């Protein structure tokens, strides 16, 4: 059992909360039973190390079983060691180290997707992770981070996906022009979400959402500039019927993605 929270091994895991260590190692931090369970279920080959307190290991039998089936040894640690490794205050008994696994943009569109979410310079980790989770829930085929977006493997992004990061392809570091060009070549209509656009309901009634669609979402503070909006086929806004000043980006993105999901299944 690892008992020293200041040991070099513990420090090496804790460093993965910082981007330079992730960039240098190609690894990232995974925390909590939900995320660990999803990693072992969908992408067990990515899990390099798994740490758990004995209490958590006994409580979550399915994780113990999945780790055994994956041939992965579980390292027992004290609560103090787990706290030192984790980025969160309450890691709930599990921390894992995983390999990063971004998808190439060309591979996303080679699969002839019908629904893709593009995040242009989305910086907030909670928003980015929640959109990945919403895209997964809506049955999207992929998510693409373009421009100077937040690091996909930021611990807050990973936590916000609640395991969805392991369910669908996510491409990072892409240039918007290239992404949109590939989207059109693959037969997708590019819809930019912006307050200056057409009413989403009107666009839905025109049947636009029934076809293959790439939704483009911009930065939380600035949105999409005019040049970026000009790259889209249509600009669409989610109407506000009450008195709210605006909608959170992740909430608006969820509405847009689900409208496409409904149209594809109607």
């Amino acid at each position: 059992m690892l008992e020293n929270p200041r040991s070099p091994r513990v420090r090496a895991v804790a460093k993965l909360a910082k981007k330079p260590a992730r960039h240098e190692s190609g690894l990232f931090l995974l925390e909590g039973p939900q995320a660990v369970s999803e990693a072992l279920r969908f992408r067990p080959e990515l899990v390099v190390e798994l740490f758990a307190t004995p209490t958590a290991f006994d409580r979550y039998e399915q994780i113990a079983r999945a780790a055994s089936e994956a041939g992965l040894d579980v390292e027992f640690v004290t609560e103090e060691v787990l706290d030192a490794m984790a980025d969160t205050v309450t890691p709930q008994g599990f921390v894992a180290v995983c390999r990063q696994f971004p998808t190439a943009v060309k591979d996303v569109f080679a699969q002839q997707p019908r629904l893709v979410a593009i995040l242009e310079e989305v910086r907030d980790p909670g928003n980015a992770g929640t959109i990945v989770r919403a895209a997964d829930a809506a049955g999207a085929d992929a998510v693409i981070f373009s421009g100077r977006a937040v690091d996909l493997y930021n611990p807050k992004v990973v936590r916000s996906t609640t395991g969805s990061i392991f369910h669908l392809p996510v491409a990072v570091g892409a240039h918007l022009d290239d992404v949109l060009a590939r989207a059109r070549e693959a037969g997708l209509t590019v819809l930019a979400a912006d307050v200056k656009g057409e009413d989403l309901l009107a666009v839905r009634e025109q049947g636009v959402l029934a076809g293959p669609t790439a939704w483009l979402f911009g930065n939380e503070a600035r949105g999409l500039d005019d040049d970026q909006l000009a790259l889209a086929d249509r600009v669409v806004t989610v109407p506000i019927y009450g008195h709210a000043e605006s909608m959170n980006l992740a909430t608006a993105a969820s509405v847009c993605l689900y409208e496409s999901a409904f149209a594809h299944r109607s």
Side-chain angles (χ1 to χ4, degrees):
M1 177 181 287
L2 285 176
E3 298 180 337
N4 181 5
R6 298 178 181 233
S7 71
R9 193 173 180 196
V10 174
R11 289 175 183 267
V13 174
K15 282 182 179 179
L16 295 175
K18 304 297 183 183
K19 189 174 182 178
R22 294 195 300 273
H23 180 74
E24 182 179 345
S25 66
L27 303 173
F28 70 100
L29 198 60
L30 195 65
E31 304 172 56
Q34 176 64 31
V36 168
S37 179
E38 294 303 294
L40 290 173
R41 180 182 175 191
F42 288 90
R43 300 297 302 271
E45 75 281 4
L46 297 174
V47 183
V48 178
E49 295 180 291
L50 177 57
F51 304 92
T53 63
T55 301
F57 187 78
D58 290 340
R59 184 185 307 139
Y60 294 93
E61 293 182 3
Q62 77 278 14
I63 294 180
R65 186 166 53 252
S68 176
E69 291 172 355
L72 189 66
D73 292 329
V74 179
E75 184 95 40
F76 289 122
V77 299
T78 63
E79 293 282 358
E80 291 76 17
V81 165
L82 203 76
D83 289 344
M85 288 178 169
D87 182 62
T88 56
V89 177
T90 54
Q92 296 180 282
F94 289 94
V95 165
V97 174
C98 297
R99 295 185 186 89
Q100 298 178 22
F101 57 110
T103 300
V105 172
K106 63 181 178 62
D107 292 335
V108 167
F109 293 108
Q111 300 302 313
Q112 297 184 320
R114 286 184 55 79
L115 182 58
V116 175
I118 304 166
L119 281 58
E120 169 65 10
E121 298 201 0
V122 172
R123 303 285 184 83
D124 181 81
N127 275 333
T130 301
I131 294 173
V132 172
R133 182 181 182 184
D136 178 25
D141 298 293
V143 177
I144 299 172
F145 285 48
S146 62
R148 294 174 295 173
V150 65
D151 179 13
L152 171 64
Y153 301 104
N154 177 307
K156 293 180 180 178
V157 176
V158 175
R159 285 198 301 275
S160 297
T161 72
T162 64
S164 286
I165 190 176
F166 299 108
H167 299 169
L168 77 171
V170 182
V172 301
H175 293 285
L176 186 59
D177 290 357
D178 177 55
V179 173
L180 298 187
R182 290 181 183 275
R184 287 200 179 84
E185 288 174 6
L188 280 74
T189 298
V190 178
L191 301 180
D194 189 85
V195 294
K196 294 177 284 189
E198 306 170 67
D199 190 300
L200 176 60
L201 181 60
V203 174
R204 183 185 68 180
E205 292 175 346
Q206 293 167 21
V208 176
L209 301 182
T213 302
W215 277 101
L216 173 60
F217 306 107
N219 178 271
E220 296 88 347
R222 302 187 308 276
L224 296 162
D225 62 33
D226 290 341
D227 290 340
Q228 292 167 337
L229 292 174
L231 296 173
D233 296 306
R234 306 278 288 267
V235 181
V236 182
T237 189
V238 177
I240 294 177
Y241 301 118
H243 301 291
E245 181 272 332
S246 62
M247 292 182 73
N248 169 272
L249 172 64
T251 303
S254 299
V255 172
C256 294
L257 291 166
Y258 258 94
E259 283 290 347
S260 285
F262 294 149
H264 289 171
R265 287 160 177 77
S266 63

